[in-house]
Amino acid sequence: MTLTIPLPLERWRLMLGEAAEGACGSLGADAAAADAALEWLYGRDPERIERDERGAGLGPSSLSTPDWINSIHTLFPKEVIERLEQDAVERFGIDEVVTNLEVLGRIEPSESLLRAVLHTKHLMNPEVLGAARKLVAEVVRRIMEKLQTEVRQAFSGTRDRRRRSRLKIASNFDFKGTVAGNLQRWSPQQRRLYIEHPVFMSRSRRHAEAWDVILLIDQSGSMVDSVIHSAVMAACLWNLPGMRTRLVAFDTQVVDLTANVADPVELLMKVQLGGGTDIARAVGYAQGLIANPARSVVVLVSDFYEGGSEAELVRRVKALVAAGTRVLGLAALDSKADPAFDRAMAQRLVDAGAQVGAMTPGELAAWLAQALQT
């Protein structure tokens, strides 16, 4: 069941709150239920509490968190539910939304809720953690569906019109060649071209020798979006021919998570968000993994706020670049790539020979494909 569309005065009453009841009239049953659900959440707003001498209306204590989740799933459409759940976790810090088994069974999988699970999984008992893992798996599946397509397109090579291909897939279809090769089947009466032999182009290979790609992921609390998308990106790169992918997470310590790259859900459940940041230490670890610098790429995903030695970080990046390794610093790696980073340190890394920017995962895939082209 979904909420019946309220009458115009009821809409005003819902927007303006209880103080407008005298002018707009009382609410019907469905609208009153919606008002109670909204009040349960937004009645916590400190500015509103300060304005209202009576406090937060119905108040947080009038509904339990499971009751509230159940009510919004009954009263509102999906897009509203997702926004309410997002505000509950991110704006008001209601951790119970992702640590209560009953709540997790009802909640809509979303990237917002995935972020909340990663922040609060240490609070969960084994049964709740199992339910949370299912939520994580569903969100990862959705992200991966999109990223796999972008990665395949980036690494499929350039189309070569000079050579034909027997592989009949849409991305290789040669429109001009097909038209030219089937002109004799043009029907002037019906004004149609009948295709007997569609033409497909082959693709040139991006690279022949194996490349080592090392993803260094800052797992400080502010980098949670980048951690999520880096994990999925690593899984997408894992099975590409000619690629050896490693994923390393760091704060003040360095943890090599390559053994879990093929399973991004397991990888994310092992990430420990928060703590300080020692980027230089992580870059030093990457240096120890490189056997052939000329065939290696280090991708540093961080906000570049160095808690360790800035001079050591710059020195290590210079050494990597001097040896022939390509170093890419990413200030953001999520679907929007809204960067927030230490621009002064980023500039120092650029001066040391690194490339620094903000990219979505799809843009990173395209950059890697171009960078690895011999």
Side-chain angles (χ1 to χ4, degrees):
M1 184 183 79
T2 57
L3 176 64
T4 303
I5 298 175
L7 298 171
L9 283 177
E10 285 187 326
R11 294 181 190 176
W12 281 108
R13 163 62 182 80
L14 287 171
M15 286 190 292
L16 297 174
E18 187 178 355
E21 188 162 320
C24 300
S26 59
L27 297 171
D30 285 344
D35 187 55
L38 295 171
E39 185 70 29
W40 183 90
L41 182 62
Y42 296 110
R44 303 164 189 264
D45 188 332
E47 292 185 2
R48 180 177 171 188
I49 293 173
E50 187 177 339
R51 290 194 306 266
D52 188 348
E53 294 180 358
R54 292 178 298 174
L58 292 170
S61 63
S62 61
L63 287 173
S64 68
T65 303
D67 287 340
W68 178 74
I69 289 289
N70 287 331
S71 68
I72 66 172
H73 276 258
T74 300
L75 294 166
F76 299 107
K78 181 178 179 180
E79 60 271 16
V80 176
I81 293 170
E82 291 178 353
R83 175 56 187 269
L84 292 173
E85 291 173 343
Q86 178 180 347
D87 282 351
V89 173
E90 296 187 351
R91 183 174 170 184
F92 297 108
I94 306 173
D95 292 338
E96 190 185 3
V97 171
V98 289
T99 58
N100 182 291
L101 183 60
E102 184 180 350
V103 171
L104 282 173
R106 292 283 297 163
I107 210 158
E108 286 286 338
S110 67
E111 288 191 40
S112 173
L113 270 299
L114 172 53
R115 291 193 293 269
V117 168
L118 297 185
H119 280 300
T120 59
K121 64 181 186 294
H122 63 285
L123 303 174
M124 301 177 183
N125 63 45
E127 189 177 13
V128 173
L129 196 60
R133 186 181 292 268
K134 293 180 181 178
L135 185 151
V136 171
E138 174 58 22
V139 179
V140 167
R141 182 191 65 77
R142 295 177 186 179
I143 299 173
M144 200 156 194
E145 279 184 356
K146 181 175 185 294
L147 279 190
Q148 280 180 327
T149 300
E150 294 177 342
V151 171
R152 281 198 303 268
Q153 288 175 344
F155 283 87
S156 59
T158 57
R159 294 193 295 180
D160 187 348
R161 293 183 181 276
R162 297 169 298 178
R163 295 189 295 131
R164 298 288 179 247
S165 173
R166 294 182 180 180
L167 185 60
K168 298 180 178 181
I169 59 176
S171 60
N172 290 348
F173 181 65
D174 184 351
F175 176 79
K176 291 183 178 180
T178 298
V179 171
N182 291 271
L183 283 176
Q184 71 276 12
R185 299 184 60 80
W186 168 256
S187 171
Q189 294 80 16
Q190 297 182 337
R191 301 185 62 80
R192 290 184 180 180
L193 179 66
Y194 292 90
I195 305 299
E196 183 177 11
H197 300 293
V199 177
F200 296 86
M201 292 175 283
S202 65
R203 288 183 177 264
S204 60
R205 294 185 65 186
R206 288 281 188 187
H207 45 271
E209 296 181 43
W211 280 81
D212 290 308
V213 178
I214 303 169
L215 293 171
L216 299 178
I217 312 302
D218 185 340
Q219 62 177 351
S220 58
S222 62
M223 295 295 296
V224 61
D225 284 327
S226 291
V227 170
I228 293 168
H229 286 81
S230 298
V232 179
M233 171 60 74
C236 293
L237 295 173
W238 181 249
N239 290 319
L240 287 177
M243 301 274 290
R244 289 189 295 260
T245 306
R246 303 195 67 131
L247 189 140
V248 177
F250 69 91
D251 42 37
T252 55
Q253 302 297 316
V254 176
V255 182
D256 195 322
L257 297 171
T258 304
N260 299 113
V261 164
D263 184 355
V265 175
E266 185 64 26
L267 191 154
L268 287 171
M269 297 306 284
K270 288 187 175 181
V271 166
Q272 300 295 323
L273 294 169
T277 308
D278 191 339
I279 307 173
R281 185 172 188 172
V283 174
Y285 182 83
Q287 286 179 294
L289 298 176
I290 294 172
N292 184 357
R295 306 291 294 182
S296 300
V297 178
V298 174
V299 181
L300 171 62
V301 185
S302 176
D303 55 16
F304 308 123
Y305 287 101
E306 174 64 295
S309 170
E310 294 185 356
E312 181 67 8
L313 170 58
V314 173
R315 187 189 70 78
R316 289 186 180 278
V317 169
K318 279 184 178 178
L320 282 171
V321 173
T325 297
R326 306 181 192 198
V327 180
L328 174 64
L330 291 185
L333 188 62
D334 59 19
S335 58
K336 296 180 181 178
D338 295 328
F341 60 99
D342 186 335
R343 295 179 183 274
M345 174 52 68
Q347 184 60 54
R348 292 180 66 183
L349 297 182
V350 170
D351 295 341
Q355 297 183 54
V356 175
M359 297 185 187
T360 66
E363 290 167 341
L364 173 60
W367 183 92
L368 284 174
Q370 183 177 4
L372 304 190
Q373 190 172 6
T374 55

